[in-house]
Amino acid sequence: MSGGNTLDAIQPATGQDDKPELLVLRALKLGDLLVAVPALKALRRAYPEHRLRYAAQGWLSEALGLVGGYELLPTHGLDEPLAVEAGVVDVAVNLHGSGPESQGRIEALQARHTIGHRSKYREGPPWRDELHERERWVRLLEWHGIAADPLDVQLNKPHVPSPVPGAAVLHVGAAYGSRLWPAERFAAVAAALDQAGHHVVFTGGGSERERALDVSRRAGLGDGAVLAGRLGLGEFAATIAAARLVVSADTGAAHLASAYGTPSVVLFGPAPPEIWGPPPGPHIVLTRAELRRGETFADQPDPALLAVSVQDVLAAVRELNVL
């Protein structure tokens, strides 16, 4: 199904350097950027003469560079207007959602053409909760006449080398307590991988460093194995790209492993893997869907995550032929 007017011949609005401007709104986090990569690459192919901008938090700039072709428009969220003068944008794309907040921010741009889900403002495909995130945005573009492939998840090679090529990466943190697999279980996996001859390292953000230090010490590996809080986003991507294995909750680390084809074991708690899981490849999802509470912002780990044992993870690693 197609809206039929995406690539029409009306004279476009122009921005910097007289290029028509395309702006994508997705003011979310790293994993949200990475599942939108197929759609972003399709838009880049469909609008080769446009200046492409992506509205999201400023710390994502390095990760956006791995997609290629886009400039970051620093945008904290939907709590304030986009820093763009009305009428400047030629094509506005809502990859944020379908609610009134994101629709309102897009409409305020007064773009010549808008790509989004069906709303009170315009036509589009209806929102479907059950779609995988990659499929959701590909389907949106296809409705608007733009070909896209949901498996086109690959990123550009990082511009910096990995500080630990060939390492087994354990990403022990997560944005919410509902996704935190117990520290003692991560430590048991780390100790087993170390005993099998792997170079084990622990990644995470600055706020996750203490947790990573705790896990490393429990595993008997010491503080030197902890990279959490010490890597820029580009170095982090390089670490995942050159890893032998990644073990992570459903976080940006897991999505980077998907983008680089790095063997991964992904532990799911409140989020369903049918919506957020990895594409086909050397990736194994572990969860207990029948126990899922689904409270993303809860302080305590979801029962679906707690049902995953150390032995489950080690069995998955063996299945990937990296133990």
Side-chain angles (χ1 to χ4, degrees):
M1 186 177 185
S2 171
N5 61 349
T6 299
L7 301 177
D8 58 40
I10 299 173
Q11 183 65 33
T14 56
Q16 184 178 0
D17 300 326
D18 294 326
K19 282 187 174 183
E21 183 166 317
L22 180 146
L23 178 65
V24 175
L25 173 62
R26 191 163 173 80
L28 298 164
K29 298 180 180 179
L30 177 60
D32 304 284
L33 165 62
L34 297 176
V35 295
V37 165
L40 293 174
K41 293 169 78 171
L43 287 166
R44 188 177 65 203
R45 289 190 297 269
Y47 293 95
E49 303 304 321
H50 280 63
R51 177 194 185 195
L52 308 177
R53 292 209 284 174
Y54 182 86
Q57 297 182 46
W59 65 272
L60 288 171
S61 180
E62 282 188 274
L64 185 64
L66 298 173
V67 179
Y70 285 82
E71 304 169 40
L72 189 82
L73 176 67
T75 304
H76 180 265
L78 300 180
D79 50 344
E80 55 188 44
L82 294 167
V84 179
E85 184 180 347
V88 168
V89 172
D90 181 45
V91 181
V93 186
N94 187 353
L95 296 189
H96 190 99
S98 65
E101 294 87 358
S102 64
Q103 291 174 358
R105 294 302 180 208
I106 287 289
E107 291 302 321
L109 296 173
Q110 298 180 26
R112 164 183 161 270
H113 182 70
T114 296
I115 296 173
H117 284 86
R118 184 180 302 167
S119 73
K120 66 179 182 180
Y121 300 106
R122 62 192 68 254
E123 287 297 310
W127 182 273
R128 289 171 51 188
D129 288 332
E130 77 279 8
L131 290 178
H132 194 287
E133 278 290 292
R134 291 187 303 274
E135 295 278 356
R136 181 186 317 288
W137 306 115
V138 163
R139 176 176 173 270
L140 170 66
L141 297 191
E142 288 177 340
W143 191 96
H144 287 275
I146 299 171
D149 179 358
L151 298 183
D152 188 11
V153 299
Q154 295 77 21
L155 295 173
N156 295 334
K157 183 179 178 181
H159 296 299
V160 295
S162 168
V164 284
V169 176
L170 272 61
H171 190 83
V172 301
Y176 306 108
S178 62
R179 296 181 181 179
L180 289 177
W181 201 49
E184 63 272 16
R185 299 190 199 179
F186 266 120
V189 170
L193 291 172
D194 178 66
Q195 291 166 12
H198 287 270
H199 177 198
V200 179
V201 298
F202 303 92
T203 58
S207 63
E208 298 162 338
R209 182 168 175 79
E210 287 303 316
R211 175 176 166 84
L213 286 167
D214 177 46
V215 172
S216 186
R217 291 164 185 167
R218 288 172 185 254
L221 299 181
D223 297 358
V226 177
L227 302 181
R230 294 186 171 178
L231 301 177
L233 198 48
E235 292 176 302
F236 176 51
T239 298
I240 300 295
R244 188 175 182 190
L245 168 71
V246 173
V247 180
S248 172
D250 169 33
T251 66
H255 294 294
L256 281 170
S258 295
Y260 289 113
T262 302
S264 64
V265 179
V266 188
L267 314 178
F268 271 81
E274 311 86 69
I275 307 297
W276 292 97
H283 316 294
I284 295 178
V285 167
L286 297 177
T287 191
R288 286 284 297 278
E290 70 276 14
L291 301 178
R292 180 174 299 121
R293 192 173 292 151
E295 298 173 358
T296 300
F297 306 112
D299 293 331
Q300 298 302 313
D302 193 281
L305 179 65
L306 290 178
V308 178
S309 71
V310 170
Q311 291 307 313
D312 291 333
V313 173
L314 294 177
V317 172
R318 282 190 286 270
E319 187 176 340
L320 290 169
N321 295 316
V322 291
L323 184 58

